[in-house]
């Protein structure tokens, strides 16, 4: 933050799939999809980063399906940055 007296941290994370300005709102696509929002709407909303749940992806659709699609970005048809967590 540039506000005098603020101890908030502002940063920039650079990835091969885009730059994330922090702090940022990060929506969660549990099964590699945002509910009720398509890619265009996500981009228009300014989404810079999206969470996906690794455990749920393991269960469904499974690693072989994601691999055959060419990876998670292609499976999701998502060009932006993705971060995964274990879901546990």
């Amino acid at each position: 933050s540039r506000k005098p007296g603020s101890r908030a941290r502002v940063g920039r994370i650079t990835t091969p799939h885009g730059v994330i300005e922090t702090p940022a709102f990060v929506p969660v696509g549990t099964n590699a999809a945002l509910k009720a929002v398509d890619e265009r709407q996500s981009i228009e909303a300014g989404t810079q980063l999206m969470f996906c749940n690794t455990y749920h992806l393991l269960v469904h659709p499974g690693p072989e399906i994601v691999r055959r699609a060419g990876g998670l970005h292609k499976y999701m048809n998502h060009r932006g940055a993705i971060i995964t967590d274990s879901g546990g």
Side-chain angles (χ1 to χ4, degrees):
S1 172
R2 293 183 180 96
K3 183 178 177 183
S6 173
R7 295 178 51 101
R9 290 184 277 168
V10 175
R12 179 176 287 147
I13 302 167
T14 303
T15 77
H17 294 281
V19 175
I20 300 118
E21 302 285 343
T22 66
F25 172 75
V26 182
V28 177
T30 302
N31 286 320
L34 298 176
K35 307 303 182 234
V37 177
D38 64 24
E39 179 73 0
R40 179 188 55 78
Q41 291 168 317
S42 175
I43 291 167
E44 287 174 0
T47 300
Q48 303 172 72
L49 177 65
M50 184 174 150
F51 265 111
C52 290
N53 183 291
T54 305
Y55 176 74
H56 290 173
L57 291 168
L58 174 68
V59 173
H60 178 76
E64 185 59 25
I65 300 291
V66 174
R67 186 190 67 74
R68 277 192 262 146
L72 190 54
H73 282 90
K74 288 184 181 178
Y75 174 77
M76 296 170 57
N77 188 32
H78 183 73
R79 292 173 285 184
I82 298 170
I83 189 168
T84 60
D85 70 353
S86 67

